[in-house]
């Protein structure tokens, strides 16, 4: 069908891959817990757009360029690791402030006015988009995974890539939606337990540091 050799195997592999935790999904659920579903869907849109760009670049051969150019791969790799580290530091600082009750006191003094500017400053769509794009391993994954299911003799390979990409986006959107509403539920459950929320935020920041370290040690092969 449309030059896809084994759709059922592709869908099973895709589901398993999407369910693996990563910086994109972790950031989305973090936004959902802190800001609610509406803002979290902005982050989800950034993830989906980033994945679309990566799939397009992969189909166009950019993954092969990264694979054959160690210098270019290293530049993109450390740029991605640096950005993840920057996000992690921000999460850890926010968790520390929340632990000491600073945000609660500021909100009481300002009558909640401090909450609105934070949404504008954070720009969840842009952050999620950058996290997605600055991941050379994701580009290499997309091209190495997709090509296994595209019939090389098919006359219109673009249709094959579009179909595979559409399935990937559908799975991602469904998974991110589950994470968003799970994060919202957790936020409502622990809203009054500020120190527990701070601990969860610190855990997310530590996980981002782990993602950054893993990415910095990655190779193009």
């Amino acid at each position: 069908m449309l030059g896809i050799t084994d759709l059922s195997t592709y869908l099973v592999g895709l589901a398993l891959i999407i369910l693996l935790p990563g910086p994109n999904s972790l950031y989305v659920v973090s936004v959902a817990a802190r800001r609610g579903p509406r803002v979290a869907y902005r982050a989800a849109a950034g993830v989906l757009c980033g994945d679309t760009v990566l799939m397009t670049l992969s189909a166009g051969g950019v993954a092969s360029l990264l694979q054959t150019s160690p210098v270019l791969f290293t530049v993109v790799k450390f740029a991605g690791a640096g950005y993840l580290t920057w996000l992690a530091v921000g999460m850890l600082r926010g968790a520390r402030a929340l632990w000491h009750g600073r945000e609660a006191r500021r909100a009481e003094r300002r009558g909640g006015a401090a909450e609105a500017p934070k949404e504008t400053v954070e720009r969840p769509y842009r952050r999620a988009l950058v996290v997605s794009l600055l991941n050379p391993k994701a580009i290499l994954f997309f091209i190495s995974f997709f090509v296994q299911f595209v019939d090389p003799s098919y006359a219109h390979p673009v249709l094959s890539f579009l179909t595979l990409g559409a399935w990937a986006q559908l799975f991602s959107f469904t998974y991110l939606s589950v994470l968003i509403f799970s994060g919202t539920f957790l936020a409502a459950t622990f809203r009054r337990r500020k120190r527990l929320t701070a601990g969860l935020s610190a855990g997310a920041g530590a996980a981002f540091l782990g993602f950054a370290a893993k990415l910095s040690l990655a190779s193009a092969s």
Side-chain angles (χ1 to χ4, degrees):
M1 181 182 69
L2 297 177
I4 301 174
T5 57
D6 193 347
L7 181 59
S8 59
T9 301
Y10 169 76
L11 295 179
V12 172
L14 183 65
L16 293 175
I17 291 164
I18 288 178
L19 288 175
L20 291 174
N24 292 341
S25 58
L26 184 60
Y27 179 66
V28 170
V29 76
S30 173
V31 172
R34 291 181 289 109
R35 313 302 298 279
R38 179 176 297 183
V39 180
Y41 269 111
R42 298 181 197 173
V47 172
L48 296 177
C49 289
D51 287 348
T52 299
V53 172
L54 291 182
M55 286 185 280
T56 303
L57 293 176
S58 298
V62 174
S64 299
L65 178 61
L66 281 176
Q67 211 162 13
T68 56
S69 176
V71 174
L72 180 60
F73 180 84
T74 300
V75 170
V76 176
K77 177 179 70 173
F78 283 110
Y83 189 73
L84 290 178
T85 301
W86 180 73
L87 287 180
V89 170
M91 288 181 175
L92 292 173
R93 290 178 63 187
R96 181 184 178 186
L98 188 60
W99 181 270
H100 293 291
R102 295 174 187 173
E103 291 185 356
R105 290 194 295 270
R106 290 173 185 170
E108 290 176 358
R109 287 198 300 266
R110 302 177 186 178
E115 193 66 25
K118 283 177 64 179
E119 179 177 339
T120 304
V121 171
E122 185 171 355
R123 296 187 179 94
Y125 171 84
R126 189 171 71 179
R127 284 195 176 186
L129 179 65
V130 175
V131 168
S132 297
L133 294 178
L134 290 178
N135 191 348
K137 297 298 287 185
I139 301 177
L140 299 178
F141 158 75
F142 276 123
I143 192 64
S144 64
F145 189 65
F146 279 13
V147 295
Q148 298 180 40
F149 301 94
V150 176
D151 185 357
S153 63
Y154 187 62
H156 306 288
V158 174
L159 293 178
S160 304
F161 279 102
L162 286 176
T163 303
L164 295 174
W167 276 109
Q169 296 292 57
L170 177 62
F171 276 42
S172 293
F173 178 79
T174 303
Y175 178 57
L176 291 176
S177 294
V178 172
L179 292 180
I180 286 171
F181 287 101
S182 297
T184 304
F185 173 77
L186 290 175
T189 303
F190 299 115
R191 185 159 298 165
R192 298 183 181 276
R193 304 174 67 178
K194 298 298 184 182
R195 293 201 167 187
L196 178 58
T197 304
L200 294 175
S201 298
F208 263 66
L209 286 177
F211 290 132
K214 183 178 180 181
L215 180 58
S216 65
L217 298 173
S219 63
S221 57

